[in-house]
Amino acid sequence: MSPTPTQRPTPPSCRVWLRRRCLVLSMVVLSLALTMVTTRSAWAWGRMGHRVAGQLAESRLTPVARRSVQELLEPGETLADASLWADEQKREIPESAPWHYVNVPITETGYNPRFCPDTGCVVSKIPEFQRTLADTTAGRAERARALRFLTHFVQDLHQPVHVGDNRDRGGNDLQLQYFGKGTNLHRIWDFEMLERGELKLSTLYGQVSALVTPERSEQWSSGSAIEWANESFVLAQKAYRAPGDGRLLRAGDKLGQAYEDTFLVVARERIARSGVRLAWLLNGTLK
Ligand code: ADE
Ligand code: ZN
Ligand code: ZN
């Protein structure tokens, strides 16, 4: 009697092939996972910057706002976790990709609504998602989505080269060296400066929260998305120039200590401002 197909033993060569395929498959899975962990988005503060801003904001919520945030987010999800969500949605929600920035040419004098496409930009999306979050007749899922987008976009708006642009996608196309390593202006601001050296999240949190004094937080707790965009814009105009002689950066320029001495504290302060302002917005919206 010949065995039925399901009973037929796998020939040895086939077993080897199966094992090999299994090995190849696990290598593919492993390298994909590694890529996901190590690849950085070209469109946002690094994950650490977002997390620190989210954690700082959460620490400043009123009890009422804190309760609403907890009710909207998933169990155990913190505002630091929620800060990363929008960057993970660029593939699932492709129309959201341009909402992370607005390209204002650094030759202009400031933000103007004509720089914001009809499909939305970081400046227009902040009040829009704030309205949805405030609308208690809207569904929980819709308000949770608005909270996650709002959180992330307040943070991105404070990144200077998410506003200022020199026809190079906010510096993404301006290749530079930073402390001897090839990178671009946008990445220097997203994370290279903030995370240089094996920086721990708790260290960055300490550096950022040390900048928040009662006087500053009172001063920072004001304004609108347009005003915050203009702050970022003025900083971007400076970020595009070499410290010292002030000439415009050119592809291939080598940046290092002088750039860090001028701008690292600025980058940390932008994270601090975004945390304070997000808390201020949420405390006013979730009453
Ligand atoms: N893509 C195009 N312009 C950009 C900017 N200013 N910031 C981030 N990503 C962009
Ligand atoms: Zn982003
Ligand atoms: Zn970015």
Side-chain angles (χ1 to χ4, degrees):
M1 245 178 48
S2 66
T4 63
T6 47
Q7 287 166 325
R8 193 186 296 144
T10 318
S13 60
C14 209
R15 260 185 259 140
V16 168
W17 185 84
L18 268 174
R19 253 208 314 268
R20 206 176 287 154
R21 193 171 65 165
C22 192
L23 189 72
V24 168
L25 204 71
S26 35
M27 278 166 66
V28 167
V29 169
L30 195 73
S31 60
L32 260 175
L34 261 174
T35 314
M36 280 166 71
V37 170
T38 55
T39 309
R40 299 178 179 268
S41 158
W43 295 342
W45 288 118
R47 292 164 66 88
M48 273 190 159
H50 280 291
R51 279 199 162 280
V52 164
Q55 194 185 334
L56 176 62
E58 190 160 76
S59 77
R60 302 178 61 86
L61 293 180
T62 60
V64 173
R66 184 180 303 270
R67 165 101 56 99
S68 300
V69 165
Q70 257 167 16
E71 281 167 5
L72 287 171
L73 298 181
E74 295 301 312
E77 186 186 7
T78 65
L79 208 51
D81 301 326
S83 300
L84 306 178
W85 177 86
D87 272 338
E88 293 155 8
Q89 301 308 307
K90 285 176 187 162
R91 228 166 277 179
E92 285 80 355
I93 314 173
E95 67 272 25
S96 73
W99 301 347
H100 293 246
Y101 58 87
V102 60
N103 284 328
V104 182
I106 53 169
T107 48
E108 295 286 334
T109 53
Y111 175 80
N112 182 291
R114 74 177 187 275
F115 301 120
C116 189
D118 292 342
T119 47
C121 69
V122 68
V123 173
S124 69
K125 285 290 160 183
I126 287 173
E128 205 178 298
F129 285 124
Q130 194 187 349
R131 275 193 296 276
T132 304
L133 180 62
D135 180 2
T136 49
T137 68
R140 174 177 177 258
E142 197 190 351
R143 291 180 71 216
R145 178 180 180 274
L147 171 60
R148 293 194 183 96
F149 271 131
L150 176 66
T151 294
H152 185 91
F153 294 151
V154 169
Q155 296 162 0
D156 273 354
L157 178 65
H158 282 76
Q159 210 282 45
V161 288
H162 274 242
V163 177
D165 171 73
N166 194 24
R167 298 198 209 178
D168 55 5
R169 301 187 306 124
N172 275 302
D173 298 333
L174 181 54
Q175 294 299 316
L176 300 168
Q177 281 194 33
Y178 191 60
F179 286 95
K181 179 183 148 200
T183 182
N184 64 58
L185 181 68
H186 195 94
R187 291 166 67 94
I188 289 174
W189 277 87
D190 265 354
F191 59 86
E192 307 269 19
M193 254 194 303
L194 288 163
E195 298 182 18
R196 204 165 72 82
E198 299 283 298
L199 187 75
K200 287 198 302 198
L201 189 71
S202 56
T203 308
L204 184 61
Y205 185 81
Q207 291 162 341
V208 166
S209 53
L211 298 173
V212 184
T213 62
E215 295 75 31
R216 282 186 188 148
S217 60
E218 198 194 321
Q219 199 193 331
W220 293 346
S221 297
S222 65
S224 62
I226 292 181
E227 288 169 72
W228 305 338
N230 276 319
E231 286 180 357
S232 279
F233 173 75
V234 172
L235 293 172
Q237 287 182 311
K238 296 181 176 140
Y240 269 95
R241 294 183 175 275
D245 62 8
R247 63 164 178 78
L248 268 182
L249 295 174
R250 291 185 292 260
D253 276 348
K254 295 179 168 61
L255 302 182
Q257 201 58 55
Y259 199 83
E260 180 179 291
D261 288 346
T262 309
F263 291 119
L264 176 55
V265 65
V266 175
R268 286 185 191 145
E269 193 191 297
R270 295 308 285 165
I271 305 263
R273 284 191 195 226
S274 76
V276 167
R277 284 170 176 167
L278 177 62
W280 175 67
L281 273 191
L282 295 179
N283 289 339
T285 308
L286 303 168
K287 283 203 268 233

